[in-house]
Amino acid sequence: MFRRTRHVLGLTAVLAGTLAVAAQPALAAQPIQPAQPVRAAQPAPSMTIGGGDGILVQVHNPTDPNTLHYEICTLTAVGYDAAGNLVGLTNAHCFIDPAGNKLVGDKVYKTTAPSGQGLSAAPLPTAQQVVHDAAAGAVGTSTYVSTPNNLASGGPAGLDYAVIQLDPTKVAPTNTVGGVTITSIGDIPPVGTRICKQGWRTGLTCGVLTGSDPIWFTSLIWTWGGDSGSPTVAGNTLIGNAWGAFHHTRITSILADLNARGGVGAGFHLAP
């Protein structure tokens, strides 16, 4: 079961003294240094974005409400990689089209549609809201899409994560969204521990961790379409992302794969 949601529809003066002194040899003329260009001040990033915020992906025909298509997911976390790139993480299946193609290079937009809370799930963004958000410009671009979870299809079990290179001129990273503040990254706690997720569609929901395997873990946390990629936390520690059917991928598995693969996202760490 996938948990994305598909919808169709940032004067210096020099003073001469007169004190008499012994004659001194003339100084050699110094070369005149060229004036340095004055750099215009850079505008501050216009959007604060972090794990738990909603993002619009696969946005087609964004200026026409009648033929608009989009999908909506949730960011897992925002931070920096070893090369200093501003990076966001979410689910891979957010960037896989109906034909099964991985959409590397897809533009990502932040949704301004209000998030939901629990059983009071957020309504899907209207076409007018998506047109407005797309007009504000993309906040990033997908640079890597892993194998999706494939739980429903019975295909190979994937880590189901994607890497987004964010635009630092538009995005100010945050570790607090809604009811979750992420201060560290770690492995999963013991079975029976209460854990939570922060998603765009259903906000903050919690439940106990019910099981695990080498790359995934399960819980009783409620999610719905639009929550794909939600950060799953134990307290303030990020332990995974949520992708539906009460399943999550361990963040430690994701980061190990990122570091082994290299490129954008390798060496990911939370924004300070």
Side-chain angles (χ1 to χ4, degrees):
M1 180 183 298
F2 292 161
R3 288 295 173 184
R4 64 183 174 185
T5 291
R6 176 174 297 163
H7 197 67
V8 178
L9 293 171
L11 172 67
T12 299
V14 177
L15 302 178
T18 58
L19 179 65
V21 296
Q24 299 293 322
L27 297 175
Q30 299 298 311
I32 298 174
Q33 299 297 321
Q36 296 299 311
V38 177
R39 298 184 183 276
Q42 296 298 313
S46 58
M47 302 181 194
T48 300
I49 298 179
D53 275 323
I55 52 173
L56 300 168
V57 301
Q58 299 195 45
V59 178
H60 306 304
N61 301 328
T63 61
D64 183 0
N66 295 315
T67 59
L68 174 70
H69 169 276
Y70 70 90
E71 298 203 11
I72 189 163
C73 289
T74 299
L75 280 171
T76 306
V78 173
Y80 294 93
D81 66 12
N85 297 304
L86 184 61
V87 171
L89 303 175
T90 189
N91 278 159
H93 68 256
C94 299
F95 295 102
I96 296 180
D97 68 13
N101 300 306
K102 295 181 178 181
L103 302 179
V104 173
D106 193 47
K107 298 298 183 184
V108 178
Y109 304 83
K110 180 183 180 181
T111 180
T112 57
S115 60
Q117 182 54 56
L119 295 179
S120 299
L124 294 177
T126 64
Q128 289 73 22
Q129 285 175 315
V130 177
V131 168
H132 171 272
D133 294 339
V139 297
T141 304
S142 62
T143 61
Y144 177 74
V145 179
S146 79
T147 301
N149 62 77
N150 288 323
L151 183 66
S153 69
L159 292 172
D160 204 346
Y161 79 93
V163 179
I164 302 165
Q165 185 165 357
L166 297 169
D167 184 347
T169 68
K170 292 182 179 180
V171 173
T174 181
N175 292 323
T176 299
V177 173
V180 166
T181 296
I182 301 170
T183 60
S184 62
I185 295 173
D187 204 354
I188 63 172
V191 169
T193 302
R194 182 177 185 268
I195 58 177
C196 301
K197 78 95 183 68
Q198 178 73 42
W200 174 80
R201 192 73 186 276
T202 60
L204 179 68
T205 55
C206 301
V208 297
L209 191 152
T210 56
S212 66
D213 65 25
I215 62 171
W216 296 345
F217 60 98
T218 56
S219 76
L220 295 180
I221 294 175
W222 169 249
T223 61
W224 204 13
D227 286 331
S228 285
S230 297
T232 307
V233 297
N236 299 117
T237 299
L238 177 66
I239 60 171
N241 68 22
W243 46 260
F246 303 105
H247 278 68
H248 317 251
T249 301
R250 295 171 181 251
I251 191 65
T252 51
S253 299
I254 291 171
L255 297 186
D257 188 70
L258 261 180
N259 294 339
R261 182 182 55 81
V264 176
F268 178 88
H269 54 279
L270 296 172

